[in-house]
Amino acid sequence: MDEEKIIRKEAEDFYERKLNTHNSYKVIDDFKNLKVRLYDFYTDESKALFLEEIENRLTHDLKNHRDEKHNGLASETCGYEIYSEKFLFYLKQELSTLPTIARQKFDVKDEIVKEKVFISYSHVDNSFLTEIQRHFKPFLNKIDYWDDTKILPGQKWKEEIENALKHTKVAILLISTDFLGSDFVMNHELPKLLNSAEKDGTVILSVILKPCLFEEFEDLNKFQAMNPPNRPISRMSEDERDELLVNLVRQTKRILDK
C-alpha cells in the first residue's frame, strides 16, 4: 500500500469514528478534533490528502442525503445539512493554506500517448515564463516540457502548437488579464485543453500571475488554481514565489509519475 492510500484510509476511518454524527451543535468541536489529528502528519502534502478525503466523504454523503430526504434540494433548516455545510466551510479554509493536490479527472483511453507538459501564456507575461522555465530546467531529462519558445525558425508555428496540444498530459495556464484577453489563447489553445481535460484526463494547473477577474470565467475557475486569485505571484515575496513554483513542479512530476 503506497503512502497516499494509507493517508486516505486513515481519513476514512477518522470520518466514520469521529465525524459521522452530523450534530449541528458540534461543528467547531469536531473541527478542532480534526486539526489535532493533522499533527500526526509531518508534511503539508499529507495533511492536504487527509483533508481532501474528508471533504470528498462529506460532499458525497451530503449529496446522498439531499437526494434521499429533500428531492435533491438544499434545506436551510436540516441539522444534517447545517453541520455538513459549516464543516465544509472550515475545511475549505484549512485546505486553502496547504499545497494544491492535483490529479487526473479520468483515466486516459486515447491511443495518443499524452506525456507532455504544455505552458499556455500571454507573451506580455514572458518574464513569468522565464521563472517557470528556471524551476523546470533541473528536471528536463524526466519531464517533456513544452512552451512556444521551443518553436524553431522556419517551423509552422500553428502546427507545432497543435501537435503539442494533442500530446499534453499537464497544462499549466499562466493567468493574467492579458492571458484572459488573448484571442489566440482563449479561442484556440484553451478550448482544446479544456476539452481534453473533460474527455482524456489532461490535468489543468492554473497559476495566477497578476490581479485579474479569474473568478468570472467559469470554465477556468472550476479547476482549483495553485494559488488563490487574491494572492497572485506579482504580490508574493521571492521566497513565496519560489515555494509556489516548487510545488508546481512537484505536482507536475507527481501526475506524470502516475
Side-chain angles (χ1 to χ4, degrees):
M1 184 179 292
D2 64 27
E3 289 184 5
E4 181 172 340
K5 288 182 179 179
I6 292 172
I7 293 168
R8 291 189 180 280
K9 183 63 170 63
E10 290 291 303
E12 287 181 11
D13 292 344
F14 182 85
Y15 178 82
E16 293 297 335
R17 293 197 316 271
K18 301 291 187 180
L19 304 181
N20 206 12
T21 57
H22 296 97
N23 184 329
S24 61
Y25 298 103
K26 291 183 59 183
V27 176
I28 297 299
D29 289 338
D30 284 352
F31 191 74
K32 286 180 179 177
N33 287 334
L34 176 62
K35 293 268 286 184
V36 171
R37 182 68 174 84
L38 290 180
Y39 292 141
D40 294 333
F41 301 101
Y42 297 142
T43 69
D44 284 346
E45 185 169 318
S46 295
K47 292 180 173 68
L49 284 168
F50 187 88
L51 291 178
E52 185 191 62
E53 188 62 30
I54 298 290
E55 181 184 31
N56 290 342
R57 292 296 302 274
L58 272 170
T59 303
H60 176 269
D61 287 356
L62 177 59
K63 181 180 184 304
N64 285 346
H65 172 83
R66 284 175 176 165
D67 290 342
E68 294 174 5
K69 303 295 185 181
H70 308 294
N71 296 317
L73 302 175
S75 170
E76 294 183 359
T77 59
C78 174
Y80 185 104
E81 295 206 22
I82 293 171
Y83 176 95
S84 299
E85 291 285 7
K86 283 184 176 179
F87 203 98
L88 284 168
F89 169 75
Y90 291 116
L91 192 61
K92 289 179 187 296
Q93 288 193 104
E94 188 69 22
L95 272 168
S96 71
T97 69
L98 297 169
T100 300
I101 305 298
R103 58 186 36 80
Q104 285 179 271
K105 187 174 180 181
F106 301 107
D107 291 331
V108 178
K109 298 178 181 178
D110 203 316
E111 291 183 359
I112 297 175
V113 176
K114 292 181 179 292
E115 56 188 11
K116 196 175 294 293
V117 176
F118 184 95
I119 313 294
S120 182
Y121 73 108
S122 163
H123 285 184
V124 177
D125 300 319
N126 191 63
S127 61
F128 293 98
L129 175 69
T130 301
E131 280 194 66
I132 288 173
Q133 289 172 332
R134 178 171 65 86
H135 280 272
F136 273 97
K137 188 175 180 181
F139 305 99
L140 293 183
N141 61 329
K142 298 178 181 179
I143 295 177
D144 187 3
Y145 171 100
W146 196 93
D147 61 57
D148 64 5
T149 63
K150 301 281 187 181
I151 301 174
L152 301 174
Q155 289 183 320
K156 296 179 179 179
W157 63 273
K158 283 189 176 181
E159 290 184 9
E160 291 298 313
I161 292 175
E162 186 69 27
N163 182 59
L165 287 168
K166 286 180 181 178
H167 294 85
T168 295
K169 185 170 184 178
V170 180
I172 297 174
L173 314 182
L174 307 188
I175 309 291
S176 67
T177 296
D178 293 297
F179 176 94
L180 299 173
S182 168
D183 290 335
F184 186 78
V185 169
M186 300 302 286
N187 297 328
H188 183 76
E189 289 184 358
L190 192 57
K192 293 179 184 296
L193 291 171
L194 295 177
N195 182 64
S196 182
E198 290 295 329
K199 293 184 177 180
D200 303 324
T202 295
V203 179
I204 304 293
L205 299 180
S206 297
V207 179
I208 313 298
L209 301 182
K210 306 172 186 174
C212 61
L213 292 178
F214 173 70
E215 67 275 9
E216 296 292 326
F217 294 81
E218 293 183 3
D219 286 345
L220 273 177
N221 68 32
K222 66 183 178 182
F223 300 98
Q224 185 178 359
M226 297 296 298
N227 55 316
N230 63 352
R231 288 293 295 157
I233 284 185
S234 62
R235 291 180 180 171
M236 292 181 178
S237 68
E238 184 177 352
D239 284 348
E240 289 176 315
R241 292 163 79 129
D242 281 342
E243 185 175 350
L244 172 64
L245 296 181
V246 165
N247 189 38
L248 175 66
V249 176
R250 180 184 294 116
Q251 295 298 335
T252 300
K253 289 181 80 284
R254 185 171 178 270
I255 296 162
L256 295 176
D257 289 343
K258 285 197 171 185

